[in-house]
Amino acid sequence: MPVISPTFNSSPLLFVRLAAVLFTCVTFSLVVHCGAYGGRSGDWCLFCWCFSFAGSLVVLLVELLGLQSRAPVSWRNFPITFATYAALFCLSASIIYPLYFLKGQHGSDRDYRIAASVFSCLATLAYMAEVSLSRARPGEVAGYMATAPGLLKVCETFVACVIFVFLDQSYERHGALKWCLAVYCVCFILSAAVIVLCVGECTGWLPFPFNRFLSAYALLAVLLYGTATIIWPVFNFDSNHLATRRDSSCGQGHTLCFWEKLVAVSALTGLNFLLYLADLVYSARLIFIKV
């Protein structure tokens, strides 16, 4: 007979995971019921909720049936990695959905959309609680993804994905902006590779110590993002270069205008620089725990 994980059964993880499944299910059910998910923004929000619901349901069933040892991934790394992504997905949907789908709405449709926004926020809180409960404590043996550098890797890849969404073809206007694109791609690929290696328990395949690779990569990423943090806004907004200005189309419709996208990329580049800087500090201080 399958045995339920003692840690899972005796901790609040069961309740926060059940809450996450319930909240995400209610959220996308409300949105689908009132048909309020048109356009790219609505499709993204719906994807976030459905992805989070499906993944949480899988994690919950594996835990309840005691199938962790049969899973093709590291169960010390996969649940918290997924919960972190789900928290970020639901957070983005909780911001985007009310921003674009509550304006100018009246009657029952508005009530459904408000309720969906509230449950999306509750789902975000549930995933944040799961991450907080699952992360490694000082002196505790845990997977790399449960440590601060591991969680930062997830945030770094998520922010990079959002940057890619906002880029469009704006990087083609100047060679310096293509350098920024190269920085985003290289750092994203390496961070994603680290996550895959940890979740797939493949770190032993590397021909060099994994912890040294992490420290060297964190330093490289800080240097690369440092250049992009300066280059992107300078070559897009400085009067001596492209000097992009806000136009009348900004603030209209369900999408960002070109200028707003450039500003968003600038802000997200700075955010990722800070994340990689924190990653470097933690990686230098962290006593490596074998994944």
Side-chain angles (χ1 to χ4, degrees):
M1 178 181 296
V3 179
I4 297 176
S5 169
T7 303
F8 177 75
N9 194 39
S10 60
S11 73
L13 275 175
L14 170 63
F15 302 105
V16 295
R17 284 173 176 160
L18 283 173
V21 170
L22 175 63
F23 293 150
T24 50
C25 180
V26 171
T27 303
F28 73 72
S29 297
L30 287 169
V31 171
V32 171
H33 176 73
C34 66
Y37 58 93
R40 293 175 62 182
S41 300
D43 292 341
W44 166 256
C45 293
L46 192 63
F47 164 77
C48 291
W49 297 319
C50 293
F51 170 82
S52 301
F53 168 76
S56 293
L57 188 61
V58 169
V59 170
L60 195 62
L61 290 175
V62 170
E63 291 277 4
L64 289 174
L65 297 176
L67 301 176
Q68 299 93 320
S69 61
R70 299 183 182 181
V73 294
S74 168
W75 208 251
R76 287 188 298 173
N77 289 298
F78 176 77
I80 189 169
T81 302
F82 171 79
T84 308
Y85 274 120
L88 294 170
F89 279 138
C90 288
L91 177 62
S92 68
S94 299
I95 296 172
I96 293 172
Y97 190 77
L99 187 63
Y100 289 117
F101 291 92
L102 284 183
K103 292 187 297 184
Q105 298 297 319
H106 304 282
S108 60
D109 275 356
R110 179 179 175 83
D111 295 337
Y112 279 117
R113 297 180 188 205
I114 291 175
S117 301
V118 170
F119 275 101
S120 181
C121 292
L122 291 175
T124 303
L125 293 176
Y127 284 118
M128 289 181 174
E130 181 179 347
V131 172
S132 178
L133 291 169
S134 304
R135 67 184 179 86
R137 302 299 192 274
E140 180 183 3
V141 177
Y144 175 78
M145 296 307 299
T147 64
L151 296 176
L152 286 169
K153 292 289 189 303
V154 175
C155 296
E156 291 156 5
T157 55
F158 178 82
V159 172
C161 287
V162 179
I163 289 176
F164 292 142
V165 171
F166 288 144
L167 277 178
D168 287 339
Q169 304 297 320
S170 57
Y171 59 87
E172 295 184 347
R173 301 186 302 155
H174 197 285
L177 301 180
K178 294 180 180 179
W179 164 258
C180 294
L181 176 65
V183 170
Y184 303 144
C185 292
V186 169
C187 293
F188 170 77
I189 291 171
L190 290 177
S191 290
V194 170
I195 294 173
V196 171
L197 287 172
C198 292
V199 172
E201 290 190 314
C202 303
T203 56
W205 295 1
L206 297 176
F208 40 78
F210 187 52
N211 57 333
R212 293 184 182 178
F213 166 73
L214 292 173
S215 299
Y217 162 57
L219 177 59
L220 174 64
V222 167
L223 296 175
L224 291 176
Y225 257 93
T227 63
T229 302
I230 298 171
I231 291 174
W232 184 268
V234 167
F235 280 85
N236 275 300
F237 304 112
D238 187 75
S239 58
N240 294 323
H241 297 93
L242 297 174
T244 307
R245 296 286 184 263
R246 180 184 176 95
D247 56 38
S248 59
S249 66
C250 296
Q252 306 295 323
H254 289 180
T255 59
L256 298 179
C257 69
F258 184 71
W259 181 87
E260 290 171 331
K261 290 179 179 179
L262 295 179
V263 172
V265 172
S266 298
L268 292 170
T269 301
L271 174 59
N272 238 6
F273 171 72
L274 295 177
L275 291 174
Y276 277 110
L277 186 61
D279 191 352
L280 176 62
V281 173
Y282 275 113
S283 296
R285 295 175 54 189
L286 181 68
I287 298 176
F288 183 72
I289 301 172
K290 186 177 179 181
V291 179

